[in-house]
Amino acid sequence: MIIETIPVGMLLCNCVILGDEATKRAIVIDPGDEVDKIGALLEKHGLSVTAIVATHGHIDHVGGIAVLKALTGAPAMLHEGDAPMYENVALQAQWLGVPTPETTQIDKYLTDRQHIEFGKHKLEVRHTPGHSPGSVSFVAPHDVPIIFAGDTLFAGSIGRTDLWGGSFEEIIRSIKGTLLPMPDDSVVLPGHGPRTTIGIERTTNPFLT
Ligand SMILES: [Zn+2]
Ligand SMILES: [Zn+2]
């Protein structure tokens, strides 16, 4: 599996390109900004995009969806719980003091335990609310599972819960109920910052011990 991680935008959101070598089908997770960079990497690997997915509706994760959709023709997907946030991306832009990005129609809502296939690979959707009502994590069953955790779980920290629709109780329940039961060597690629593993977070994350 091809895995490219690109920190994009002012908040350095980790955008991820996942590609299947054989069929050249790809999924793009969290194209927050800098779609030119994402497009260049897709071109470098000769990939065509099957789906554009977002872990949640914050502007740093969804800001580039419309431009990437126009570039690739791929459908845009996020969880319905964060649809109001995407519709109000202009408010988020105002709040951060950045230009309002172009928006588009969300083509499909992600649901818990749904599978998104790309070539012979697939991603499983897990609803992990708390950072926002519609926050999801994506799990790729690789040699060891790879978890794309969005802003739910970080190396040594967890997502903030003081923004619209956030809940500390819920994020802890999501992490402990959905993410921590995965094998210790599962790799976690958070929405910001360095990668970690489930084992490291279970034993050392101050929010979880
Ligand atoms: Zn966020
Ligand atoms: Zn973020």
Side-chain angles (χ1 to χ4, degrees):
M1 187 162 69
I2 297 163
I3 305 180
E4 291 271 14
T5 307
I6 325 145
V8 294
M10 186 176 80
L11 298 174
L12 298 176
C13 164
N14 287 326
C15 170
V16 180
I17 297 171
L18 298 176
D20 175 47
E21 288 100 336
T23 61
K24 301 290 181 187
R25 303 302 301 186
I27 290 181
V28 179
I29 303 174
D30 287 353
D33 201 353
E34 302 187 71
V35 173
D36 48 337
K37 277 192 199 168
I38 301 167
L41 276 168
L42 290 168
E43 202 170 320
K44 178 186 142 193
H45 292 288
L47 295 169
S48 68
V49 181
T50 296
I52 301 165
V53 298
T55 55
H56 63 293
H58 284 151
I59 187 170
D60 50 323
H61 299 255
V62 299
I65 286 181
V67 176
L68 186 61
K69 182 173 154 179
L71 183 75
T72 61
M77 309 179 189
L78 54 69
H79 192 280
E80 195 171 6
D82 275 17
M85 231 182 237
Y86 185 68
E87 284 154 19
N88 285 294
V89 87
L91 275 179
Q92 298 190 53
Q94 225 170 54
W95 191 68
L96 278 174
V98 298
T100 300
E102 201 183 311
T103 52
T104 183
Q105 185 76 35
I106 295 301
D107 300 288
K108 200 171 168 189
Y109 290 132
L110 299 170
T111 55
D112 191 44
R113 296 189 184 269
Q114 173 194 349
H115 286 115
I116 309 167
E117 294 183 7
F118 56 113
K120 66 174 192 301
H121 300 288
K122 63 178 182 227
L123 268 192
E124 186 182 10
V125 177
R126 297 306 308 269
H127 186 209
T128 48
H131 176 61
S132 67
S135 277
V136 300
S137 300
F138 299 105
V139 184
H142 205 39
D143 309 329
V144 294
I146 306 174
I147 303 163
F148 304 92
D151 290 358
T152 298
L153 179 61
F154 298 119
S157 188
I158 63 170
R160 57 190 289 185
T161 54
D162 58 332
L163 300 172
W164 179 84
S167 159
F168 182 78
E169 207 172 77
E170 218 169 23
I171 199 171
I172 294 294
R173 200 186 312 135
S174 289
I175 295 169
K176 291 193 169 171
T178 303
L179 302 183
L180 292 193
M182 295 193 202
D184 271 357
D185 58 355
S186 304
V187 175
V188 180
L189 284 172
H192 303 267
R195 63 175 59 194
T196 180
T197 68
I198 286 295
I200 290 170
E201 296 314 310
R202 181 191 291 109
T203 50
T204 66
N205 190 313
F207 293 93
L208 307 173
T209 50

